[in-house]
């Protein structure tokens, strides 16, 4: 439901991305101060793109920026109707939670990145399901004009077969081989792809496919943004 990248210069990257997708407004979540971060969340259809930037020392995002040598992919947030089955699978797989919240609007937890690999992962239940607390109170009226839902994300990893099957077990979704690696089917028209690691210092989120709903003549080519390739379909 949401994907996050980390950037050193939030203002510059925010302006660049909003212009690219035709967004007129975004949301800054004051709750990110808990993690030593500030952010910008842009609604893309019924999904969300987040840019986070550290404002304190010793943050997970700051350490990732250092490891990756600059702006980079950071986090994937998955929505489910029930956290219990995911929690049971985590116990079976000896995975750790590094953060949890229980509120009237949301129940969620983060999985330790060393246990799942590839990225920080959040599992979220929203009440009601069509809502998305992290997008702000008015996201449905602030969606980007030219870009719709996130269609796919790509993770560059050292062992695509092993990691894709590990993620499939955690998320409880099917996994199968493709021409270029391995693929998890999340729901209709949404996929998670695992490919062989490239030459970056640390493997991780390297690509994102987005639905283009703007003018055909304005559709941009694939472009690099915060260390990941944005592909418009």
């Amino acid at each position: 439901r949401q994907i996050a990248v980390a950037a050193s210069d939030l203002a510059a990257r925010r302006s660049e991305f909003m212009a690219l997708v035709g967004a007129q407004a975004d949301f800054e979540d004051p709750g990110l101060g808990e993690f030593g971060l500030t952010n910008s969340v842009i609604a893309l259809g019924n999904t969300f793109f987040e840019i986070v930037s550290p404002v304190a020392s010793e943050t997970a995002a700051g350490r990732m920026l250092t490891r990756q040598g600059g702006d980079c992919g950071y986090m994937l947030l998955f929505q489910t109707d029930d956290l219990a089955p995911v929690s049971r699978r985590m116990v079976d797989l000896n995975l750790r939670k590094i953060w949890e919240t229980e509120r009237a609007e949301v129940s969620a937890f983060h999985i330790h990145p060393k246990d799942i690999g590839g990225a920080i992962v959040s599992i979220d239940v929203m009440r009601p399901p069509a809502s998305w607390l992290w997008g702000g109170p008015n996201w449905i009226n602030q969606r980007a004009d030219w870009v719709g839902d996130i269609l796919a994300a790509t993770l560059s990893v050292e062992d695509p077969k092993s990691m894709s099957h590990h993620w499939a077990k955690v998320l409880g979704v099917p996994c199968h081989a493709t021409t270029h690696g391995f693929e998890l089917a999340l729901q209709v028209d949404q996929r998670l792809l695992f490919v062989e690691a490239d030459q970056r210092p640390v493997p991780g989120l390297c690509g994102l496919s987005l639905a283009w709903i703007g003018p055909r003549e304005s559709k941009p080519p694939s472009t690099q943004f915060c260390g990941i390739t944005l592909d418009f379909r």
Side-chain angles (χ1 to χ4, degrees), residues 16-208:
E16 180 183 350
F17 187 80
M18 289 179 69
L20 184 66
V21 301
Q24 307 303 316
D26 64 344
F27 173 66
E28 180 182 349
D29 186 352
L32 266 287
E34 174 185 351
F35 304 103
L37 305 173
T38 185
N39 77 335
S40 168
V41 182
I42 298 99
L44 308 177
N46 290 311
T47 62
F48 301 84
F49 186 87
E50 179 183 20
I51 306 166
V52 303
S53 188
V55 291
S57 60
E58 292 302 313
T59 64
R63 290 190 292 272
M64 188 171 287
L65 287 167
T66 299
R67 288 196 303 270
Q68 293 282 26
D71 297 352
C72 57
Y74 179 62
M75 187 174 185
L76 295 91
L77 293 83
F78 297 91
Q79 184 174 353
T80 182
D81 294 330
D82 187 0
L83 288 181
V86 189
S87 293
R88 287 195 294 270
R89 290 193 292 270
M90 287 185 59
V91 171
D92 293 341
L93 296 167
N94 295 314
L95 306 185
R96 295 166 289 175
K97 298 177 183 178
I98 56 172
W99 175 83
E100 285 187 85
T101 189
E102 184 67 46
R103 300 164 57 176
E105 312 95 323
V106 61
S107 300
F109 60 76
H110 296 175
I111 303 173
H112 199 300
K114 289 185 178 179
D115 292 349
I116 192 164
I120 298 174
V121 168
S122 180
I123 309 294
D124 302 65
V125 170
M126 289 289 159
R127 290 180 284 271
S131 67
W132 190 251
L133 181 66
W134 317 132
N138 199 35
W139 68 264
I140 201 164
N141 297 313
Q142 297 176 340
R143 291 180 282 190
D145 293 332
W146 299 337
V147 170
D149 289 344
I150 296 168
L151 301 177
T154 301
L155 289 165
S156 171
V157 300
E158 294 180 359
D159 186 346
K161 181 177 181 180
S162 175
M163 187 164 288
S164 62
H165 282 80
H166 180 55
W167 278 58
K169 291 177 182 177
V170 176
L171 298 176
V173 297
C175 176
H176 65 270
T178 69
T179 303
H180 303 291
F182 292 83
E183 178 180 289
L184 272 60
L186 303 178
Q187 58 180 351
V188 177
D189 296 329
Q190 197 174 52
R191 301 289 183 267
L192 187 59
L193 313 173
F194 293 80
V195 298
E196 192 79 32
D198 54 24
Q199 300 303 310
R200 301 187 314 157
V202 179
L205 178 64
C206 65
L208 192 60

